[in-house]
C-alpha cells in the first residue's frame, strides 16, 4: 500500500505532481491490458477447450 505514495513522491522530484499521477495511471492501464500475456499455458488450454465446446 505504501508503494503508490512512494512512487508519486519520487516522481514529483522529476516532474510536476499532475504529470506524476498521469504517468502512474498510464502504467496501471498498461499493466491491466498486458495481464493477458502473463497467463500460464494451462489457463489458455482450458479456456480454449471451454470455448470450443
Amino acid at each position: 500500500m505504501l508503494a503508490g505514495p512512494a512512487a508519486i513522491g519520487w516522481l514529483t522530484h522529476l516532474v510536476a505532481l499532475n504529470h506524476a499521477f498521469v504517468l502512474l495511471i498510464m502504467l496501471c492501464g498498461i499493466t491491466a491490458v498486458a495481464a493477458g500475456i502473463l497467463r500460464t499455458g494451462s489457463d489458455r488450454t482450458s479456456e480454449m477447450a471451454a470455448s470450443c465446446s
Side-chain angles (χ1 to χ4, degrees):
M1 284 186 5
L2 297 177
I8 291 172
W10 177 77
L11 277 173
T12 56
H13 292 289
L14 303 174
V15 297
L17 183 61
N18 292 339
H19 293 120
F21 282 121
V22 170
L23 288 173
L24 289 177
I25 290 171
M26 287 174 41
L27 180 62
C28 287
I30 291 169
T31 304
V33 170
I37 298 170
L38 300 176
R39 286 188 282 176
T40 61
S42 62
D43 289 343
R44 289 185 188 150
T45 55
S46 62
E47 182 180 292
M48 289 179 64
S51 66
C52 291
S53 299

